[in-house]
DNA sequence: AGGTTGATATACCGACCTGTTTACTTTTGG
DNA sequence: CCAAAAGTAAACAGGTCGGTATATCAACCT
């Protein structure tokens, strides 16, 4: 159930558009950021945006997809750098801290996009499901490799902890939520 | 740090407005629901809405506040019905299932509102912080009453689990996420 | 009885937002 | 070298949305 969207031709201007749109969308929300603002901020005309991306919706989808790709790369890097499968599962929580330090603390872009576009047809729905399933499968593979029983359930538990940490890192000034989530994950894994 | 908003006079029409607005806001998102739609759906004119609530922002704040009150009542009922403090902490996860069965599965209204209104001044920010702090404090009191050490950290861990369960109950077709979160909470509590 | 209050009905305004169009200039690759 | 592709510039179209104005009607409470 992978999600496919027609990839626009990524010219230099298109890259600049995507970068600034990503910044604006994530930090200010999608519906509050107009195409005109993106054009002005990227030093580009609206025509170029519509020539490259066709519609704001397509630009939003491209933003979510690109961000997802970058995030998965960060997670994978932390997993591969870990000493063993158990440590790798915990390292995912470290990747969250690194990701947040670099990207900001406005929660999960997928979840936020879902909140803005409630309809069942918007790409953000499928993209978010994809992303969460991907992380759950990563957790499951690691838990299995660690030789722990009940890997399917345990993977979902880790996923829930992770998503909770993502949310609570934004709301309510609980900066140590991620560290505590990691500690809780370790106890759940018996480490 | 409680949040105060001028309470509008809750006439019968105002109640109908608030009810239908709550339904629409939660299930379709806030910015996609126009004031005209709310008026039509509630069988009320726009003037009545503005006479009662003054602005859409005020209506949104009233929606979030009312929903928060109802939710806290459900949680408290489950806590009070539990046999002991440990069971009460776990019962919060049962209250989530009841709440979701009655209200739907579009995640936390506060978090969703925060996603739509990114600005630091919007009431949803303070309201969400309030709500999460309230639940954390409930958890902390219960963990303390159960005589468990490290109650402050444990409370945050339970809160993270809870918020993760709220999110994952919506995204990614993981219906058992809440039950698994409860199981994980039990293990973290040593129950 | 009558004035205050709540509500209806309807038209309207200004701002904003997505998307298009036309005409012109720059870049770039075969 | 030159044509195709990419981008600039600026105006405009069509629609939506939050909010206001005016005039009218019905209920309620001293």
């Amino acid at each position: 159930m992978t999600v496919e969207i027609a990839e626009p031709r990524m010219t230099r201007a298109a890259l600049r558009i995507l970068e600034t749109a990503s910044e604006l969308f994530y930090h200010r929300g999608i519906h509050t950021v107009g195409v005109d603002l993106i054009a002005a901020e990227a030093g580009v005309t609206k025509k170029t945006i519509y020539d490259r991306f066709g519609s704001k919706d397509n630009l939003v989808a491209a933003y979510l997809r690109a961000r997802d790709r970058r995030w998965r790369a960060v997670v994978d890097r932390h997993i591969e750098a870990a000493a063993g499968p158990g440590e790798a599962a915990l390292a995912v929580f470290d990747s969250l801290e690194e990701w947040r330090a670099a990207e900001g603390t406005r929660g999960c872009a997928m979840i936020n996009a879902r909140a803005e576009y409630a309809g069942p047809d918007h790409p953000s729905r499928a993209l978010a499901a994809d992303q969460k399933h991907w992380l759950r499968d990563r957790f499951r593979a690691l838990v299995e490799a660690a030789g722990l029983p009940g890997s399917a359930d345990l993977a979902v538990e880790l996923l829930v902890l992770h998503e909770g940490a993502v949310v609570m890192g934004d709301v309510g000034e609980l900066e140590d939520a991620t560290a505590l989530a990691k500690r809780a994950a370790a106890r759940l894994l018996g480490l």
mmCIF file with all atom_site columns, all heavy atoms in Angstrom, chain D residues 11-19:
data_model
loop_
_atom_site.group_PDB
_atom_site.id
_atom_site.type_symbol
_atom_site.label_atom_id
_atom_site.label_alt_id
_atom_site.label_comp_id
_atom_site.label_asym_id
_atom_site.label_entity_id
_atom_site.label_seq_id
_atom_site.pdbx_PDB_ins_code
_atom_site.Cartn_x
_atom_site.Cartn_y
_atom_site.Cartn_z
_atom_site.occupancy
_atom_site.B_iso_or_equiv
_atom_site.pdbx_formal_charge
_atom_site.auth_seq_id
_atom_site.auth_comp_id
_atom_site.auth_asym_id
_atom_site.auth_atom_id
_atom_site.pdbx_PDB_model_num
ATOM 1   P P     . DA D 1 11 ? -0.293  45.491 -12.156 1.00 0.00 ? 11 DA D P     1
ATOM 2   O OP1   . DA D 1 11 ? 0.152   46.885 -12.185 1.00 0.00 ? 11 DA D OP1   1
ATOM 3   O OP2   . DA D 1 11 ? -0.428  44.794 -10.863 1.00 0.00 ? 11 DA D OP2   1
ATOM 4   O "O5'" . DA D 1 11 ? -1.701  45.392 -12.914 1.00 0.00 ? 11 DA D "O5'" 1
ATOM 5   C "C5'" . DA D 1 11 ? -1.720  45.116 -14.307 1.00 0.00 ? 11 DA D "C5'" 1
ATOM 6   C "C4'" . DA D 1 11 ? -2.639  43.937 -14.579 1.00 0.00 ? 11 DA D "C4'" 1
ATOM 7   O "O4'" . DA D 1 11 ? -2.014  42.722 -14.111 1.00 0.00 ? 11 DA D "O4'" 1
ATOM 8   C "C3'" . DA D 1 11 ? -3.998  44.013 -13.869 1.00 0.00 ? 11 DA D "C3'" 1
ATOM 9   O "O3'" . DA D 1 11 ? -5.017  44.194 -14.836 1.00 0.00 ? 11 DA D "O3'" 1
ATOM 10  C "C2'" . DA D 1 11 ? -4.115  42.680 -13.125 1.00 0.00 ? 11 DA D "C2'" 1
ATOM 11  C "C1'" . DA D 1 11 ? -3.053  41.816 -13.798 1.00 0.00 ? 11 DA D "C1'" 1
ATOM 12  N N9    . DA D 1 11 ? -2.529  40.750 -12.950 1.00 0.00 ? 11 DA D N9    1
ATOM 13  C C8    . DA D 1 11 ? -1.780  40.876 -11.815 1.00 0.00 ? 11 DA D C8    1
ATOM 14  N N7    . DA D 1 11 ? -1.453  39.729 -11.268 1.00 0.00 ? 11 DA D N7    1
ATOM 15  C C5    . DA D 1 11 ? -2.022  38.781 -12.090 1.00 0.00 ? 11 DA D C5    1
ATOM 16  C C6    . DA D 1 11 ? -2.046  37.368 -12.063 1.00 0.00 ? 11 DA D C6    1
ATOM 17  N N6    . DA D 1 11 ? -1.435  36.654 -11.110 1.00 0.00 ? 11 DA D N6    1
ATOM 18  N N1    . DA D 1 11 ? -2.712  36.733 -13.047 1.00 0.00 ? 11 DA D N1    1
ATOM 19  C C2    . DA D 1 11 ? -3.311  37.463 -14.004 1.00 0.00 ? 11 DA D C2    1
ATOM 20  N N3    . DA D 1 11 ? -3.363  38.789 -14.146 1.00 0.00 ? 11 DA D N3    1
ATOM 21  C C4    . DA D 1 11 ? -2.692  39.388 -13.146 1.00 0.00 ? 11 DA D C4    1
ATOM 22  P P     . DC D 1 12 ? -6.523  44.518 -14.365 1.00 0.00 ? 12 DC D P     1
ATOM 23  O OP1   . DC D 1 12 ? -7.129  45.345 -15.422 1.00 0.00 ? 12 DC D OP1   1
ATOM 24  O OP2   . DC D 1 12 ? -6.494  44.966 -12.965 1.00 0.00 ? 12 DC D OP2   1
ATOM 25  O "O5'" . DC D 1 12 ? -7.209  43.072 -14.414 1.00 0.00 ? 12 DC D "O5'" 1
ATOM 26  C "C5'" . DC D 1 12 ? -6.904  42.198 -15.493 1.00 0.00 ? 12 DC D "C5'" 1
ATOM 27  C "C4'" . DC D 1 12 ? -7.502  40.832 -15.223 1.00 0.00 ? 12 DC D "C4'" 1
ATOM 28  O "O4'" . DC D 1 12 ? -6.605  40.062 -14.385 1.00 0.00 ? 12 DC D "O4'" 1
ATOM 29  C "C3'" . DC D 1 12 ? -8.847  40.892 -14.482 1.00 0.00 ? 12 DC D "C3'" 1
ATOM 30  O "O3'" . DC D 1 12 ? -9.749  40.058 -15.166 1.00 0.00 ? 12 DC D "O3'" 1
ATOM 31  C "C2'" . DC D 1 12 ? -8.503  40.330 -13.097 1.00 0.00 ? 12 DC D "C2'" 1
ATOM 32  C "C1'" . DC D 1 12 ? -7.378  39.362 -13.442 1.00 0.00 ? 12 DC D "C1'" 1
ATOM 33  N N1    . DC D 1 12 ? -6.501  38.983 -12.299 1.00 0.00 ? 12 DC D N1    1
ATOM 34  C C2    . DC D 1 12 ? -6.299  37.631 -11.982 1.00 0.00 ? 12 DC D C2    1
ATOM 35  O O2    . DC D 1 12 ? -6.870  36.777 -12.667 1.00 0.00 ? 12 DC D O2    1
ATOM 36  N N3    . DC D 1 12 ? -5.497  37.300 -10.938 1.00 0.00 ? 12 DC D N3    1
ATOM 37  C C4    . DC D 1 12 ? -4.902  38.257 -10.227 1.00 0.00 ? 12 DC D C4    1
ATOM 38  N N4    . DC D 1 12 ? -4.120  37.887 -9.217  1.00 0.00 ? 12 DC D N4    1
ATOM 39  C C5    . DC D 1 12 ? -5.094  39.642 -10.526 1.00 0.00 ? 12 DC D C5    1
ATOM 40  C C6    . DC D 1 12 ? -5.888  39.963 -11.551 1.00 0.00 ? 12 DC D C6    1
ATOM 41  P P     . DA D 1 13 ? -11.338 40.381 -15.064 1.00 0.00 ? 13 DA D P     1
ATOM 42  O OP1   . DA D 1 13 ? -11.803 40.878 -16.365 1.00 0.00 ? 13 DA D OP1   1
ATOM 43  O OP2   . DA D 1 13 ? -11.600 41.153 -13.827 1.00 0.00 ? 13 DA D OP2   1
ATOM 44  O "O5'" . DA D 1 13 ? -11.896 38.909 -14.884 1.00 0.00 ? 13 DA D "O5'" 1
ATOM 45  C "C5'" . DA D 1 13 ? -11.314 37.834 -15.628 1.00 0.00 ? 13 DA D "C5'" 1
ATOM 46  C "C4'" . DA D 1 13 ? -11.513 36.541 -14.872 1.00 0.00 ? 13 DA D "C4'" 1
ATOM 47  O "O4'" . DA D 1 13 ? -10.474 36.412 -13.860 1.00 0.00 ? 13 DA D "O4'" 1
ATOM 48  C "C3'" . DA D 1 13 ? -12.851 36.461 -14.156 1.00 0.00 ? 13 DA D "C3'" 1
ATOM 49  O "O3'" . DA D 1 13 ? -13.479 35.245 -14.500 1.00 0.00 ? 13 DA D "O3'" 1
ATOM 50  C "C2'" . DA D 1 13 ? -12.483 36.512 -12.680 1.00 0.00 ? 13 DA D "C2'" 1
ATOM 51  C "C1'" . DA D 1 13 ? -11.076 35.917 -12.676 1.00 0.00 ? 13 DA D "C1'" 1
ATOM 52  N N9    . DA D 1 13 ? -10.241 36.339 -11.552 1.00 0.00 ? 13 DA D N9    1
ATOM 53  C C8    . DA D 1 13 ? -9.890  37.612 -11.218 1.00 0.00 ? 13 DA D C8    1
ATOM 54  N N7    . DA D 1 13 ? -9.114  37.688 -10.166 1.00 0.00 ? 13 DA D N7    1
ATOM 55  C C5    . DA D 1 13 ? -8.954  36.375 -9.780  1.00 0.00 ? 13 DA D C5    1
ATOM 56  C C6    . DA D 1 13 ? -8.241  35.777 -8.720  1.00 0.00 ? 13 DA D C6    1
ATOM 57  N N6    . DA D 1 13 ? -7.532  36.470 -7.834  1.00 0.00 ? 13 DA D N6    1
ATOM 58  N N1    . DA D 1 13 ? -8.283  34.425 -8.619  1.00 0.00 ? 13 DA D N1    1
ATOM 59  C C2    . DA D 1 13 ? -8.993  33.731 -9.521  1.00 0.00 ? 13 DA D C2    1
ATOM 60  N N3    . DA D 1 13 ? -9.706  34.182 -10.552 1.00 0.00 ? 13 DA D N3    1
ATOM 61  C C4    . DA D 1 13 ? -9.637  35.523 -10.625 1.00 0.00 ? 13 DA D C4    1
ATOM 62  P P     . DG D 1 14 ? -15.057 35.164 -14.389 1.00 0.00 ? 14 DG D P     1
ATOM 63  O OP1   . DG D 1 14 ? -15.541 34.560 -15.640 1.00 0.00 ? 14 DG D OP1   1
ATOM 64  O OP2   . DG D 1 14 ? -15.556 36.473 -13.921 1.00 0.00 ? 14 DG D OP2   1
ATOM 65  O "O5'" . DG D 1 14 ? -15.258 34.111 -13.218 1.00 0.00 ? 14 DG D "O5'" 1
ATOM 66  C "C5'" . DG D 1 14 ? -14.385 32.989 -13.116 1.00 0.00 ? 14 DG D "C5'" 1
ATOM 67  C "C4'" . DG D 1 14 ? -14.434 32.425 -11.718 1.00 0.00 ? 14 DG D "C4'" 1
ATOM 68  O "O4'" . DG D 1 14 ? -13.461 33.111 -10.887 1.00 0.00 ? 14 DG D "O4'" 1
ATOM 69  C "C3'" . DG D 1 14 ? -15.792 32.599 -11.026 1.00 0.00 ? 14 DG D "C3'" 1
ATOM 70  O "O3'" . DG D 1 14 ? -16.181 31.348 -10.516 1.00 0.00 ? 14 DG D "O3'" 1
ATOM 71  C "C2'" . DG D 1 14 ? -15.521 33.629 -9.934  1.00 0.00 ? 14 DG D "C2'" 1
ATOM 72  C "C1'" . DG D 1 14 ? -14.050 33.396 -9.638  1.00 0.00 ? 14 DG D "C1'" 1
ATOM 73  N N9    . DG D 1 14 ? -13.344 34.542 -9.081  1.00 0.00 ? 14 DG D N9    1
ATOM 74  C C8    . DG D 1 14 ? -13.473 35.851 -9.450  1.00 0.00 ? 14 DG D C8    1
ATOM 75  N N7    . DG D 1 14 ? -12.699 36.656 -8.765  1.00 0.00 ? 14 DG D N7    1
ATOM 76  C C5    . DG D 1 14 ? -12.024 35.823 -7.891  1.00 0.00 ? 14 DG D C5    1
ATOM 77  C C6    . DG D 1 14 ? -11.053 36.117 -6.907  1.00 0.00 ? 14 DG D C6    1
ATOM 78  O O6    . DG D 1 14 ? -10.569 37.220 -6.597  1.00 0.00 ? 14 DG D O6    1
ATOM 79  N N1    . DG D 1 14 ? -10.628 34.972 -6.245  1.00 0.00 ? 14 DG D N1    1
ATOM 80  C C2    . DG D 1 14 ? -11.077 33.714 -6.494  1.00 0.00 ? 14 DG D C2    1
ATOM 81  N N2    . DG D 1 14 ? -10.555 32.729 -5.765  1.00 0.00 ? 14 DG D N2    1
ATOM 82  N N3    . DG D 1 14 ? -11.980 33.414 -7.419  1.00 0.00 ? 14 DG D N3    1
ATOM 83  C C4    . DG D 1 14 ? -12.414 34.519 -8.070  1.00 0.00 ? 14 DG D C4    1
ATOM 84  P P     . DG D 1 15 ? -17.644 31.160 -9.876  1.00 0.00 ? 15 DG D P     1
ATOM 85  O OP1   . DG D 1 15 ? -18.255 29.968 -10.481 1.00 0.00 ? 15 DG D OP1   1
ATOM 86  O OP2   . DG D 1 15 ? -18.354 32.459 -9.862  1.00 0.00 ? 15 DG D OP2   1
ATOM 87  O "O5'" . DG D 1 15 ? -17.260 30.804 -8.383  1.00 0.00 ? 15 DG D "O5'" 1
ATOM 88  C "C5'" . DG D 1 15 ? -16.102 29.997 -8.142  1.00 0.00 ? 15 DG D "C5'" 1
ATOM 89  C "C4'" . DG D 1 15 ? -15.613 30.191 -6.735  1.00 0.00 ? 15 DG D "C4'" 1
ATOM 90  O "O4'" . DG D 1 15 ? -14.899 31.440 -6.636  1.00 0.00 ? 15 DG D "O4'" 1
ATOM 91  C "C3'" . DG D 1 15 ? -16.745 30.259 -5.706  1.00 0.00 ? 15 DG D "C3'" 1
ATOM 92  O "O3'" . DG D 1 15 ? -16.666 29.087 -4.883  1.00 0.00 ? 15 DG D "O3'" 1
ATOM 93  C "C2'" . DG D 1 15 ? -16.445 31.522 -4.898  1.00 0.00 ? 15 DG D "C2'" 1
ATOM 94  C "C1'" . DG D 1 15 ? -15.048 31.932 -5.331  1.00 0.00 ? 15 DG D "C1'" 1
ATOM 95  N N9    . DG D 1 15 ? -14.844 33.380 -5.384  1.00 0.00 ? 15 DG D N9    1
ATOM 96  C C8    . DG D 1 15 ? -15.485 34.268 -6.198  1.00 0.00 ? 15 DG D C8    1
ATOM 97  N N7    . DG D 1 15 ? -15.091 35.502 -6.025  1.00 0.00 ? 15 DG D N7    1
ATOM 98  C C5    . DG D 1 15 ? -14.139 35.414 -5.030  1.00 0.00 ? 15 DG D C5    1
ATOM 99  C C6    . DG D 1 15 ? -13.361 36.429 -4.417  1.00 0.00 ? 15 DG D C6    1
ATOM 100 O O6    . DG D 1 15 ? -13.358 37.643 -4.638  1.00 0.00 ? 15 DG D O6    1
ATOM 101 N N1    . DG D 1 15 ? -12.509 35.899 -3.451  1.00 0.00 ? 15 DG D N1    1
ATOM 102 C C2    . DG D 1 15 ? -12.431 34.568 -3.114  1.00 0.00 ? 15 DG D C2    1
ATOM 103 N N2    . DG D 1 15 ? -11.560 34.242 -2.161  1.00 0.00 ? 15 DG D N2    1
ATOM 104 N N3    . DG D 1 15 ? -13.136 33.617 -3.673  1.00 0.00 ? 15 DG D N3    1
ATOM 105 C C4    . DG D 1 15 ? -13.974 34.112 -4.620  1.00 0.00 ? 15 DG D C4    1
ATOM 106 P P     . DT D 1 16 ? -17.804 28.826 -3.805  1.00 0.00 ? 16 DT D P     1
ATOM 107 O OP1   . DT D 1 16 ? -18.042 27.372 -3.789  1.00 0.00 ? 16 DT D OP1   1
ATOM 108 O OP2   . DT D 1 16 ? -18.923 29.781 -3.988  1.00 0.00 ? 16 DT D OP2   1
ATOM 109 O "O5'" . DT D 1 16 ? -17.038 29.220 -2.471  1.00 0.00 ? 16 DT D "O5'" 1
ATOM 110 C "C5'" . DT D 1 16 ? -15.650 28.873 -2.333  1.00 0.00 ? 16 DT D "C5'" 1
ATOM 111 C "C4'" . DT D 1 16 ? -15.092 29.493 -1.072  1.00 0.00 ? 16 DT D "C4'" 1
ATOM 112 O "O4'" . DT D 1 16 ? -14.744 30.879 -1.326  1.00 0.00 ? 16 DT D "O4'" 1
ATOM 113 C "C3'" . DT D 1 16 ? -16.086 29.505 0.101   1.00 0.00 ? 16 DT D "C3'" 1
ATOM 114 O "O3'" . DT D 1 16 ? -15.430 29.035 1.259   1.00 0.00 ? 16 DT D "O3'" 1
ATOM 115 C "C2'" . DT D 1 16 ? -16.482 30.971 0.206   1.00 0.00 ? 16 DT D "C2'" 1
ATOM 116 C "C1'" . DT D 1 16 ? -15.213 31.661 -0.250  1.00 0.00 ? 16 DT D "C1'" 1
ATOM 117 N N1    . DT D 1 16 ? -15.406 33.046 -0.769  1.00 0.00 ? 16 DT D N1    1
ATOM 118 C C2    . DT D 1 16 ? -14.611 34.054 -0.288  1.00 0.00 ? 16 DT D C2    1
ATOM 119 O O2    . DT D 1 16 ? -13.742 33.875 0.543   1.00 0.00 ? 16 DT D O2    1
ATOM 120 N N3    . DT D 1 16 ? -14.862 35.294 -0.835  1.00 0.00 ? 16 DT D N3    1
ATOM 121 C C4    . DT D 1 16 ? -15.817 35.607 -1.788  1.00 0.00 ? 16 DT D C4    1
ATOM 122 O O4    . DT D 1 16 ? -15.954 36.750 -2.193  1.00 0.00 ? 16 DT D O4    1
ATOM 123 C C5    . DT D 1 16 ? -16.625 34.491 -2.238  1.00 0.00 ? 16 DT D C5    1
ATOM 124 C C7    . DT D 1 16 ? -17.676 34.726 -3.262  1.00 0.00 ? 16 DT D C7    1
ATOM 125 C C6    . DT D 1 16 ? -16.379 33.286 -1.718  1.00 0.00 ? 16 DT D C6    1
ATOM 126 P P     . DC D 1 17 ? -16.278 28.577 2.532   1.00 0.00 ? 17 DC D P     1
ATOM 127 O OP1   . DC D 1 17 ? -16.046 27.159 2.754   1.00 0.00 ? 17 DC D OP1   1
ATOM 128 O OP2   . DC D 1 17 ? -17.659 29.091 2.366   1.00 0.00 ? 17 DC D OP2   1
ATOM 129 O "O5'" . DC D 1 17 ? -15.591 29.407 3.686   1.00 0.00 ? 17 DC D "O5'" 1
ATOM 130 C "C5'" . DC D 1 17 ? -14.303 30.001 3.449   1.00 0.00 ? 17 DC D "C5'" 1
ATOM 131 C "C4'" . DC D 1 17 ? -14.191 31.263 4.275   1.00 0.00 ? 17 DC D "C4'" 1
ATOM 132 O "O4'" . DC D 1 17 ? -14.453 32.415 3.443   1.00 0.00 ? 17 DC D "O4'" 1
ATOM 133 C "C3'" . DC D 1 17 ? -15.216 31.309 5.403   1.00 0.00 ? 17 DC D "C3'" 1
ATOM 134 O "O3'" . DC D 1 17 ? -14.563 31.503 6.638   1.00 0.00 ? 17 DC D "O3'" 1
ATOM 135 C "C2'" . DC D 1 17 ? -16.110 32.483 5.048   1.00 0.00 ? 17 DC D "C2'" 1
ATOM 136 C "C1'" . DC D 1 17 ? -15.208 33.345 4.184   1.00 0.00 ? 17 DC D "C1'" 1
ATOM 137 N N1    . DC D 1 17 ? -15.972 34.203 3.237   1.00 0.00 ? 17 DC D N1    1
ATOM 138 C C2    . DC D 1 17 ? -15.616 35.548 3.095   1.00 0.00 ? 17 DC D C2    1
ATOM 139 O O2    . DC D 1 17 ? -14.674 35.991 3.763   1.00 0.00 ? 17 DC D O2    1
ATOM 140 N N3    . DC D 1 17 ? -16.318 36.322 2.242   1.00 0.00 ? 17 DC D N3    1
ATOM 141 C C4    . DC D 1 17 ? -17.332 35.795 1.556   1.00 0.00 ? 17 DC D C4    1
ATOM 142 N N4    . DC D 1 17 ? -18.006 36.590 0.714   1.00 0.00 ? 17 DC D N4    1
ATOM 143 C C5    . DC D 1 17 ? -17.709 34.425 1.679   1.00 0.00 ? 17 DC D C5    1
ATOM 144 C C6    . DC D 1 17 ? -17.005 33.668 2.535   1.00 0.00 ? 17 DC D C6    1
ATOM 145 P P     . DG D 1 18 ? -15.406 31.290 8.001   1.00 0.00 ? 18 DG D P     1
ATOM 146 O OP1   . DG D 1 18 ? -14.671 30.268 8.772   1.00 0.00 ? 18 DG D OP1   1
ATOM 147 O OP2   . DG D 1 18 ? -16.836 31.104 7.728   1.00 0.00 ? 18 DG D OP2   1
ATOM 148 O "O5'" . DG D 1 18 ? -15.210 32.695 8.720   1.00 0.00 ? 18 DG D "O5'" 1
ATOM 149 C "C5'" . DG D 1 18 ? -13.902 33.218 8.830   1.00 0.00 ? 18 DG D "C5'" 1
ATOM 150 C "C4'" . DG D 1 18 ? -13.964 34.711 9.095   1.00 0.00 ? 18 DG D "C4'" 1
ATOM 151 O "O4'" . DG D 1 18 ? -14.552 35.366 7.955   1.00 0.00 ? 18 DG D "O4'" 1
ATOM 152 C "C3'" . DG D 1 18 ? -14.825 35.101 10.298  1.00 0.00 ? 18 DG D "C3'" 1
ATOM 153 O "O3'" . DG D 1 18 ? -14.155 36.128 11.038  1.00 0.00 ? 18 DG D "O3'" 1
ATOM 154 C "C2'" . DG D 1 18 ? -16.118 35.615 9.678   1.00 0.00 ? 18 DG D "C2'" 1
ATOM 155 C "C1'" . DG D 1 18 ? -15.644 36.162 8.342   1.00 0.00 ? 18 DG D "C1'" 1
ATOM 156 N N9    . DG D 1 18 ? -16.640 36.071 7.281   1.00 0.00 ? 18 DG D N9    1
ATOM 157 C C8    . DG D 1 18 ? -17.333 34.945 6.904   1.00 0.00 ? 18 DG D C8    1
ATOM 158 N N7    . DG D 1 18 ? -18.157 35.166 5.914   1.00 0.00 ? 18 DG D N7    1
ATOM 159 C C5    . DG D 1 18 ? -18.005 36.513 5.628   1.00 0.00 ? 18 DG D C5    1
ATOM 160 C C6    . DG D 1 18 ? -18.650 37.314 4.654   1.00 0.00 ? 18 DG D C6    1
ATOM 161 O O6    . DG D 1 18 ? -19.510 36.986 3.829   1.00 0.00 ? 18 DG D O6    1
ATOM 162 N N1    . DG D 1 18 ? -18.203 38.629 4.697   1.00 0.00 ? 18 DG D N1    1
ATOM 163 C C2    . DG D 1 18 ? -17.250 39.105 5.570   1.00 0.00 ? 18 DG D C2    1
ATOM 164 N N2    . DG D 1 18 ? -16.956 40.402 5.477   1.00 0.00 ? 18 DG D N2    1
ATOM 165 N N3    . DG D 1 18 ? -16.649 38.366 6.484   1.00 0.00 ? 18 DG D N3    1
ATOM 166 C C4    . DG D 1 18 ? -17.072 37.080 6.458   1.00 0.00 ? 18 DG D C4    1
ATOM 167 P P     . DG D 1 19 ? -14.830 36.584 12.457  1.00 0.00 ? 19 DG D P     1
ATOM 168 O OP1   . DG D 1 19 ? -13.741 37.165 13.280  1.00 0.00 ? 19 DG D OP1   1
ATOM 169 O OP2   . DG D 1 19 ? -15.624 35.474 12.983  1.00 0.00 ? 19 DG D OP2   1
ATOM 170 O "O5'" . DG D 1 19 ? -15.791 37.776 12.047  1.00 0.00 ? 19 DG D "O5'" 1
ATOM 171 C "C5'" . DG D 1 19 ? -15.228 38.881 11.344  1.00 0.00 ? 19 DG D "C5'" 1
ATOM 172 C "C4'" . DG D 1 19 ? -16.320 39.795 10.859  1.00 0.00 ? 19 DG D "C4'" 1
ATOM 173 O "O4'" . DG D 1 19 ? -17.019 39.185 9.753   1.00 0.00 ? 19 DG D "O4'" 1
ATOM 174 C "C3'" . DG D 1 19 ? -17.408 40.153 11.888  1.00 0.00 ? 19 DG D "C3'" 1
ATOM 175 O "O3'" . DG D 1 19 ? -17.328 41.547 12.158  1.00 0.00 ? 19 DG D "O3'" 1
ATOM 176 C "C2'" . DG D 1 19 ? -18.715 39.747 11.209  1.00 0.00 ? 19 DG D "C2'" 1
ATOM 177 C "C1'" . DG D 1 19 ? -18.319 39.702 9.739   1.00 0.00 ? 19 DG D "C1'" 1
ATOM 178 N N9    . DG D 1 19 ? -19.167 38.860 8.911   1.00 0.00 ? 19 DG D N9    1
ATOM 179 C C8    . DG D 1 19 ? -19.387 37.514 9.035   1.00 0.00 ? 19 DG D C8    1
ATOM 180 N N7    . DG D 1 19 ? -20.205 37.033 8.139   1.00 0.00 ? 19 DG D N7    1
ATOM 181 C C5    . DG D 1 19 ? -20.556 38.136 7.378   1.00 0.00 ? 19 DG D C5    1
ATOM 182 C C6    . DG D 1 19 ? -21.418 38.246 6.260   1.00 0.00 ? 19 DG D C6    1
ATOM 183 O O6    . DG D 1 19 ? -22.061 37.345 5.710   1.00 0.00 ? 19 DG D O6    1
ATOM 184 N N1    . DG D 1 19 ? -21.487 39.551 5.780   1.00 0.00 ? 19 DG D N1    1
ATOM 185 C C2    . DG D 1 19 ? -20.809 40.619 6.327   1.00 0.00 ? 19 DG D C2    1
ATOM 186 N N2    . DG D 1 19 ? -20.989 41.803 5.734   1.00 0.00 ? 19 DG D N2    1
ATOM 187 N N3    . DG D 1 19 ? -19.994 40.541 7.368   1.00 0.00 ? 19 DG D N3    1
ATOM 188 C C4    . DG D 1 19 ? -19.930 39.274 7.834   1.00 0.00 ? 19 DG D C4    1
#
